[in-house]
Amino acid sequence: MTSTIFVQIAAYRDPDLAASLNNLLEQAAHPERLKFGICLQLDASDPLSWGEQSFPDHAHLQVKDVDAADSRGACWARSQAQVFYSGEDFLLQIDSHMRAVRNWDDFLLQTWRDCNDREAVLSVYPNGFQQPCQLQTSTLPVMAAKAFDDYGILKFQGISRYRMPEQQPEKPLPNAFVAGGFLFGPGKIVENVPYDPELYFYGEEISMSARLWTHGYNIYCPNRLLLFHLYKSSSGDGDTSATHWSDHQDWFQLNRRSLVRVHKLLGSLLIAPANLAPTLKDFEGLEQYGLGTRRDLSDYERMAGIAFRDQTINQNASAGQFPAS
């Protein structure tokens, strides 16, 4: 009960952030154990209700205010939020439109302990919710490989494999992939595997998956429902926040450099599309955000059932069954 949790949030012009913060604190068994680090990116035209004056009163809530026009994307914002980390026992990285079950902090810590692995990282694409707080609790998701996109970047998918509660697994499920919107593990991840501020959005999750694993961390999907995410929907009743790429006409230049860095990291630069046009400047500072030395990238590929250069995915990886080889 004495474990502390650093809750890292990057919020881009999000009308739901204040509601998310209130829900996390109201549903926590021990809200005093939570420390929030938030990169708050707003435009001058955004309503005041999206800002700090609507945040809950909490002793450990720190905010870095950024003009939305100066933002450099999601991974850059996650990197900015990490500056508030100050040695907490655990890291919880989430998006800015989330809901939680009652006593989620106790359950999250118990789920991590159930891995019986001091290097465990819990991550998954969470089930969705409908406003204000209607949670989707009928299935349990796991992470799986989906496909390599047109830029040669591996994309993931969530698979609702288990019916809840009757098929709930006894323990967290070994996996190979992490989701940017729900990642929980030892707090030292912030120092050992910090976010590359030069990444944009695409490639974030596969690069962090490989970096965490080669640094010695083991990835699991939670065996219980803990957090829920507000997804965008065609009907307009989901996430209504703006996107960085809709606001910034030059977003592709940031994305191009990001994709080049991901390919370099994963050893697949030779098969990257020619229009990415890599330059030496694209690789500046990449050594600070590289792979670990505890395990090899080739071993990660075998475990995950994928091959970055050949752009292949085996059946187990597509089904979310790991180790996949």
Side-chain angles (χ1 to χ4, degrees), residues 18-190:
S20 295
L21 294 173
N22 277 292
N23 179 264
L24 289 168
L25 289 170
E26 290 167 359
Q27 296 292 84
H30 300 281
E32 69 279 2
R33 68 157 45 116
L34 307 177
K35 175 182 177 179
F36 293 88
I38 301 170
C39 180
L40 180 63
Q41 305 152 89
L42 292 176
D43 184 77
S45 65
D46 292 332
L48 294 177
S49 59
W50 295 6
E52 294 179 58
Q53 60 271 30
S54 297
F55 291 180
D57 184 16
H58 184 65
H60 305 292
L61 194 156
Q62 294 177 282
V63 178
K64 178 168 185 176
D65 292 297
V66 176
D67 189 314
D70 297 328
S71 171
R72 294 180 59 83
C75 295
W76 175 86
R78 296 200 202 280
S79 175
Q80 300 303 302
Q82 286 188 337
V83 303
F84 295 117
Y85 174 74
S86 57
E88 287 74 27
D89 299 314
F90 291 92
L91 162 71
L92 173 61
Q93 175 178 295
I94 57 174
D95 284 340
S96 53
H97 27 268
M98 309 286 291
R99 297 292 185 271
V101 299
R102 175 73 65 181
N103 298 332
W104 63 270
D105 51 331
D106 276 351
F107 284 126
L108 186 55
L109 288 165
Q110 184 59 56
T111 305
W112 183 85
R113 294 188 186 103
D114 288 344
C115 295
N116 196 28
D117 180 353
R118 294 180 64 86
E119 307 299 326
V121 172
L122 298 172
S123 191
V124 76
Y125 290 144
N127 283 353
F129 75 90
Q130 292 181 328
Q131 294 282 19
C133 196
Q134 182 179 342
L135 310 179
Q136 199 283 90
T137 60
S138 61
T139 58
L140 182 79
V142 298
M143 299 288 286
K146 184 176 182 180
F148 286 91
D149 67 13
D150 292 341
Y151 290 106
I153 301 297
L154 181 63
K155 298 296 184 66
F156 305 152
Q157 61 183 332
I159 297 177
S160 296
R161 175 177 297 154
Y162 302 93
R163 293 193 307 273
M164 297 290 278
E166 61 268 27
Q167 292 182 331
Q168 181 179 351
E170 292 185 2
K171 294 182 178 180
L173 304 159
N175 206 272
F177 307 131
V178 299
F182 173 17
L183 187 156
F184 180 80
K188 62 183 179 179
I189 288 173
V190 177

Side-chain angles (χ1 to χ4, degrees), residues 76-319:
W76 175 86
R78 296 200 202 280
S79 175
Q80 300 303 302
Q82 286 188 337
V83 303
F84 295 117
Y85 174 74
S86 57
E88 287 74 27
D89 299 314
F90 291 92
L91 162 71
L92 173 61
Q93 175 178 295
I94 57 174
D95 284 340
S96 53
H97 27 268
M98 309 286 291
R99 297 292 185 271
V101 299
R102 175 73 65 181
N103 298 332
W104 63 270
D105 51 331
D106 276 351
F107 284 126
L108 186 55
L109 288 165
Q110 184 59 56
T111 305
W112 183 85
R113 294 188 186 103
D114 288 344
C115 295
N116 196 28
D117 180 353
R118 294 180 64 86
E119 307 299 326
V121 172
L122 298 172
S123 191
V124 76
Y125 290 144
N127 283 353
F129 75 90
Q130 292 181 328
Q131 294 282 19
C133 196
Q134 182 179 342
L135 310 179
Q136 199 283 90
T137 60
S138 61
T139 58
L140 182 79
V142 298
M143 299 288 286
K146 184 176 182 180
F148 286 91
D149 67 13
D150 292 341
Y151 290 106
I153 301 297
L154 181 63
K155 298 296 184 66
F156 305 152
Q157 61 183 332
I159 297 177
S160 296
R161 175 177 297 154
Y162 302 93
R163 293 193 307 273
M164 297 290 278
E166 61 268 27
Q167 292 182 331
Q168 181 179 351
E170 292 185 2
K171 294 182 178 180
L173 304 159
N175 206 272
F177 307 131
V178 299
F182 173 17
L183 187 156
F184 180 80
K188 62 183 179 179
I189 288 173
V190 177
E191 299 171 343
N192 294 344
V193 195
Y195 254 72
D196 182 354
E198 296 299 329
L199 293 193
Y200 184 66
F201 179 74
Y202 297 108
E204 168 193 8
E205 294 176 329
I206 183 55
S207 62
M208 281 301 293
S209 299
R211 290 180 64 205
L212 284 165
W213 198 86
T214 56
H215 275 85
Y217 295 99
N218 300 306
I219 302 165
Y220 300 82
C221 291
N223 62 323
R224 53 169 60 95
L225 298 172
L226 300 162
L227 298 173
F228 300 80
H229 184 275
L230 186 64
Y231 293 97
K232 292 187 181 296
S233 69
S234 56
S235 60
D237 58 355
D239 173 25
T240 59
S241 58
T243 60
H244 186 278
W245 49 87
S246 65
D247 284 347
H248 295 76
Q249 294 184 354
D250 63 345
W251 72 272
F252 183 77
Q253 291 306 315
L254 297 172
N255 191 49
R256 184 206 62 79
R257 186 182 192 194
S258 175
L259 295 173
V260 168
R261 290 169 79 85
V262 172
H263 275 296
K264 177 68 172 177
L265 181 80
L266 300 179
S268 55
L269 191 59
L270 289 177
I271 59 91
N275 64 341
L276 293 182
T279 68
L280 290 177
K281 187 174 179 60
D282 292 330
F283 308 131
E284 290 180 355
L286 185 58
E287 64 277 1
Q288 303 176 53
Y289 308 102
L291 299 173
T293 58
R294 299 252 322 254
R295 294 186 284 204
D296 293 334
L297 181 63
S298 59
D299 292 329
Y300 173 73
E301 290 178 287
R302 281 190 289 272
M303 183 276 296
I306 55 176
F308 293 119
R309 290 186 184 179
D310 296 336
Q311 306 274 278
T312 58
I313 302 169
N314 74 19
Q315 291 182 344
N316 287 337
S318 296

